[in-house]
Amino acid sequence: MDVQAAHSAEVPPVPGAGAGVEDAAASGAERAGTDAAGAERAPGAVATLLTVGLGTLVTLMAFTAPASTLAATAGGLHAGPVAQTWMFTGTPVGLAALLLTAGSAADARGRRRVFGAGAVLLVLASVLSAAAPDTALFLTGRILQGAASAAVLASGLGLIAQTHPAGPHRVRALGFFGATLGAGIALGPAYAALLTQVWGWRSLYWGLAVLAAVTAMATRSVPESRAERARGLDLSGALVLGAGIACLVAAFGEGRSGWTRAAVLVPLAAGSALLALFGAVERRVGEPMLDPALWRSRAFLAAGAGAFSTGLAVVGLFSYLPTELELVLGMSPLAASLLFIVWAGVSAVTALFARHLAGRIGAAAQVALGLLLSGAGQAALYGLRAGGSYGHLVPGLAVAGIGGGVLNAALARLAVSSVPADRSAMGSGANNTARYVGSALGLALTVSVASAAHGRTPADALAAGANRGFLVSAAICAAGAAVVLLAGRERPGR
């Protein structure tokens, strides 16, 4: 099946910077006061949007909770350096390994069903982390939180796509979705730091369990939707992909002690081989979770490249930033998380207004713009020093926040518009897989770079490592923007 042809049947193609089809159609329809296809929102659209927004908010809060509570959690569980790395990366691994599987299952078995199951699993995983007597069970809970978040995120974007037809309704809904991503990242560290300060680190996981339970109950108000033709689950692809991602994250996590050791090179080689095997499996299996036909879609490739770059260079860096601020500047966890809101809060607000870019520039160009703004903001953070002031960080955080907001809104639109309408959850799963594979690797890379620097004191060493990480992430953003523009560029005559 020609994926681009299938999509063009839904919205007529227009010239632009690539993959801006839906954006342009939405903009013209919005000026006319109607949808591109004259369609109205489906019944239950508002309930769907609010429920998916709440679920997305809770999953991102769970994702970023360790950013401001690592020291307290590690102290309470007597966790070593390697375990502390996995406290950060456990949830991204669970997310990245199962997002594609969850998206395929949602399209085939029902998006509301998978979303609700993810919310229930998030309750159980949060309870396990809250009550864990040792590090092993806590990390198990964190990985299961990632698996639950995969079900919520993959099916949630599919639910929005089904209840909000292509046009201004969808543009506004996806802007709201992008804002909840930024809001979850903003609230997570502050929420965790506040509860840890008052009731201890376990309380934040009990709180997440309560919020996830509310999400599960709200799912009953969401209308069910699924693909017209049920597809089988690709278990072999899911196992190979999950194992490959776990190996890569383990390799990057071990890199903090040196990149030429066998503990790094062996899992790195194994992970690369497994991901190559995943590509071969998807070409041979009868009903692949990731349709190989999509690899010929420029919009799909641009969405994947943008999502991976966002995870690697943006999510990875900023997930560890509150911890760096605590250790370098001597800030309290709560103060560091409040400063962090400058970035994440601006990102959430920007995502709400980014819909006004629709129709003016293509979606791929929006993603590239977001990456360039994020990189510029990260470069402006350079100059962090032990015992210094946080004032010089604010402008860079604000600029990076604007870039993050543009990214969150544009990537959601590009993910939905780059796949056939009946595979929207799979498209969301593929896009989020790229994002969270990148974030798991980026977080491990950020920790490794920050830990590898030297200085007169531990704070000086971490400051030097953080400054190096800012420049590395800025360079990755610039490279990612170039790749997105090349991948999303229209072919002559199309």
Side-chain angles (χ1 to χ4, degrees):
M1 173 181 183
D2 189 329
V3 174
Q4 286 191 340
H7 177 61
S8 64
E10 179 182 339
V11 184
V14 296
V21 177
E22 182 174 322
D23 298 332
S27 178
E30 191 164 20
R31 286 191 295 268
T34 62
D35 274 353
E40 297 295 332
R41 291 179 298 181
V46 174
T48 297
L49 187 59
L50 293 177
T51 302
V52 171
L54 176 60
T56 303
L57 188 73
V58 176
T59 59
L60 268 296
M61 289 172 65
F63 185 96
T64 57
S68 60
T69 59
L70 179 63
T73 306
L77 293 172
H78 307 290
V82 174
Q84 291 180 37
T85 299
W86 277 94
M87 286 179 181
F88 274 116
T89 57
T91 294
V93 166
L95 258 171
L98 291 177
L99 271 164
L100 265 176
T101 304
S104 296
D107 286 329
R109 301 293 188 265
R111 299 179 181 105
R112 184 184 69 175
R113 178 181 297 179
V114 172
F115 184 93
V120 171
L121 179 57
L122 187 57
V123 174
L124 299 176
S126 299
V127 168
L128 178 58
S129 291
D134 54 39
T135 303
L137 282 178
F138 176 81
L139 294 179
T140 300
R142 288 290 295 167
I143 293 172
L144 288 176
Q145 281 184 322
S149 299
V152 170
L153 290 174
S155 54
L157 195 53
L159 286 168
I160 291 176
Q162 288 298 311
T163 54
H164 294 77
H169 287 315
R170 183 178 291 179
V171 171
R172 284 192 293 268
L174 294 180
F176 176 80
F177 176 82
T180 60
L181 289 173
I185 294 174
L187 292 175
Y191 155 86
L194 182 61
L195 264 66
T196 298
Q197 182 175 303
V198 178
W199 291 299
W201 66 267
R202 294 183 187 273
S203 64
L204 75 93
Y205 293 99
W206 289 116
L208 288 173
V210 172
L211 292 173
V214 173
T215 303
M217 290 186 288
T219 305
R220 291 179 295 179
S221 64
V222 175
E224 182 62 283
S225 68
R226 57 173 56 87
E228 293 183 4
R229 185 178 72 85
R231 302 168 66 96
L233 295 181
D234 179 13
L235 294 179
S236 58
L239 291 173
V240 172
L241 178 64
I245 291 170
C247 287
L248 287 181
V249 174
F252 274 64
E254 288 291 335
R256 63 188 298 171
S257 301
W259 291 93
T260 58
R261 299 179 302 115
V264 174
L265 298 179
V266 171
L268 185 62
S272 301
L274 286 168
L275 292 184
L277 178 60
F278 172 72
V281 168
E282 295 304 277
R283 287 186 174 90
R284 293 179 177 274
V285 72
E287 293 189 331
M289 70 168 73
L290 181 60
D291 190 345
L294 289 172
W295 302 345
R296 298 192 296 271
S297 166
R298 284 181 171 268
F300 184 79
L301 293 177
F308 181 77
S309 300
T310 299
L312 185 66
V314 180
V315 180
L317 173 69
F318 285 107
S319 294
Y320 192 59
L321 183 62
T323 299
E324 291 179 319
L325 296 178
E326 292 175 40
L327 298 177
V328 174
L329 301 182
M331 302 178 71
S332 69
L334 184 57
S337 61
L338 291 176
L339 179 61
F340 179 72
I341 289 179
V342 173
W343 170 71
V346 169
S347 174
V349 173
T350 301
L352 288 174
F353 292 96
R355 67 184 177 87
H356 296 294
L357 293 173
R360 292 176 171 83
I361 59 175
Q366 291 180 50
V367 172
L369 174 62
L371 285 169
L372 290 174
L373 287 171
S374 295
Q378 291 167 353
L381 299 177
Y382 187 86
L384 187 67
R385 59 185 179 84
S389 170
Y390 64 82
H392 88 280
L393 300 174
V394 174
L397 290 172
V399 172
I402 294 172
V406 173
L407 278 173
N408 285 336
L411 282 173
R413 290 197 298 274
L414 196 54
V416 170
S417 65
S418 64
V419 298
D422 66 341
R423 304 303 307 281
S424 57
M426 184 276 295
S428 168
N431 190 262
N432 279 309
T433 296
R435 182 195 294 256
Y436 291 108
V437 167
S439 69
L441 298 180
L443 183 52
L445 179 63
T446 298
V447 174
S448 299
V449 170
S451 303
H454 301 285
R456 292 176 301 174
T457 66
D460 288 329
L462 186 58
N467 287 323
R468 187 182 303 170
F470 297 150
L471 297 181
V472 169
S473 292
I476 295 174
C477 282
V483 171
V484 169
L485 287 175
L486 288 174
R489 187 173 55 188
E490 291 284 346
R491 292 174 179 172
R494 290 186 67 96

